[in-house]
């Protein structure tokens, strides 16, 4: 099992891709720290992991609040003394024309989607042992997007730039950093997207993936099997970008 005796911290672990990732890491022996805002959803993720024989705890954390991030990392380190895998999955979207978007919403989205990645990387790195890994969840919107989601697309493009830049600051034998860019995935975020509902963003059901398929890709990137993969983005989209 690839994550035996490894402490795996996952943001956005209460639903969708994040939950599937937590379940996958737990099934492969990891001790999973599930981060999210909703305690009930977090408890359900923990239940799924422990029911299958894995180890997991939930810690509530609002990623828009830097103090909350600092506090939760301190709790994780006090309990486990290290972090072997960091998966930054949590994200939010807005669906307004930029000219109509309150800049407070722009700032909130960037706090959740981008600043939290930087802060978690900064806080966790000193406590990540040799062979550790960071996986940031991007999106095909970093490469090809639609109207009305400019802040989200911007944050994901910046996330991939962050990954490339940080890879130059890290020794891959100590800590690797990579991104995974999902396409359309069967999650609440996809089906609640107004652009999807009104047809602005066309979704071919043949290229809608499952959270479990993304979790498999994330687990690979976080595992020692990907020891020579560093500073890049793995697109997992069912061939969506290739069709453009």
């Amino acid at each position: 099992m690839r994550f035996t005796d490894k402490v795996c911290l996952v943001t956005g672990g209460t639903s969708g891709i994040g939950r599937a990732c937590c379940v996958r890491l737990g099934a492969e022996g990891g001790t999973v720290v599930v981060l999210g805002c909703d305690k009930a959803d977090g408890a359900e993720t923990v239940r799924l992991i422990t029911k299958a024989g894995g180890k997991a705890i939930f810690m509530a954390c609002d990623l828009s609040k830097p103090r909350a991030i600092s506090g939760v990392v301190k709790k994780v380190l006090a309990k486990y003394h290290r972090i072997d895998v960091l998966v930054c999955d949590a994200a939010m979207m807005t669906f307004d024309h930029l000219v109509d978007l309150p800049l407070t919403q722009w700032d909130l989205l960037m706090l959740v989607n981008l600043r939290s990645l930087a802060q978690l990387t900064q806080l966790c790195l000193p406590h990540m042992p040799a062979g550790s890994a960071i996986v940031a969840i991007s999106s095909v919107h970093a490469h090809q997007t639609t109207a009305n989601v400019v802040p989200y697309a911007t944050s994901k493009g910046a996330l991939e730039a962050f990954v490339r830049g940080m890879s130059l600051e890290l020794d891959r034998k100590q800590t690797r950093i990579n991104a995974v860019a999902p396409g359309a995935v069967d999650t609440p975020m996809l089906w609640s997207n107004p652009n999807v509902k009104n047809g602005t963003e066309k979704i071919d059901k043949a290229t809608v993936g499952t959270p479990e398929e993304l979790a498999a890709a994330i687990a690979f990137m976080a595992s020692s099997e990907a020891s020579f993969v560093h500073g890049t983005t793995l697109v997992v989209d069912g061939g969506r970008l290739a069709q453009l």
Side-chain angles (χ1 to χ4, degrees):
M1 298 210 287
R2 295 180 293 183
F3 299 100
T4 299
D5 297 327
K6 292 186 182 293
V7 178
C8 307
L9 179 62
V10 182
T11 74
T14 53
S15 68
I17 294 170
R19 171 177 284 173
C21 181
C22 288
V23 171
R24 180 65 180 251
L25 294 173
E28 294 202 37
T31 297
V32 184
V33 182
V34 181
L35 294 193
C37 290
D38 191 287
K39 292 182 179 180
D41 288 340
E44 175 61 13
T45 300
V46 170
R47 186 191 71 80
L48 291 170
I49 295 168
T50 55
K51 182 181 178 181
K55 302 174 188 176
I57 62 168
F58 171 72
M59 291 189 181
C61 184
D62 183 345
L63 294 181
S64 70
K65 298 179 179 178
R67 286 187 181 180
I69 295 173
S70 298
V72 81
V73 172
K74 286 180 181 178
K75 289 179 182 178
V76 173
L77 293 173
K79 185 174 181 63
Y80 298 111
H81 311 295
R82 73 184 196 281
I83 295 167
D84 298 279
V85 173
L86 170 63
V87 178
C88 292
D89 171 71
M92 62 174 292
M93 296 184 79
T94 59
F95 303 100
D96 296 312
H97 291 292
L98 185 65
V99 294
D100 300 322
L101 181 77
L103 286 178
T104 53
Q105 284 296 107
W106 174 282
D107 293 340
L108 176 62
L109 182 145
M110 293 301 170
L111 280 170
V112 173
N113 294 13
L114 192 57
R115 191 189 189 281
S116 67
L117 167 63
Q119 185 178 2
L120 283 164
T121 298
Q122 187 178 61
L123 292 173
C124 294
L125 270 177
H127 309 281
M128 298 186 79
S132 57
I134 299 169
V135 183
I137 310 308
S138 182
S139 168
V140 292
H141 280 277
H143 308 271
Q144 179 268 330
T145 190
T146 57
N148 301 347
V149 293
V150 169
Y152 180 77
T154 301
S155 72
K156 295 304 184 179
L159 179 152
E160 293 190 13
F162 177 87
V163 166
R164 291 191 297 272
M166 277 305 302
S167 72
L168 301 177
E169 297 189 16
L170 298 175
D171 176 355
R172 68 174 177 82
K173 294 182 180 180
Q174 178 72 24
T175 303
R176 294 179 301 104
I177 185 168
N178 290 290
V180 170
V185 181
D186 187 11
T187 65
M189 179 178 277
L190 175 67
W191 302 120
S192 64
N193 184 332
N195 288 347
V196 172
K197 287 182 176 181
N198 65 27
T200 300
E201 183 176 350
K202 304 295 182 183
I203 299 296
D204 179 355
K205 291 185 178 180
T207 60
V208 174
T210 66
E212 291 73 23
E213 287 174 314
L214 268 297
I218 294 165
F220 166 71
M221 295 295 268
S223 76
S224 60
E225 291 181 317
S227 60
F228 200 52
V229 184
H230 187 44
T232 192
T233 298
L234 174 64
V235 176
V236 186
D237 70 346
R240 174 176 172 173
L241 289 180
Q243 297 173 12
L244 298 176

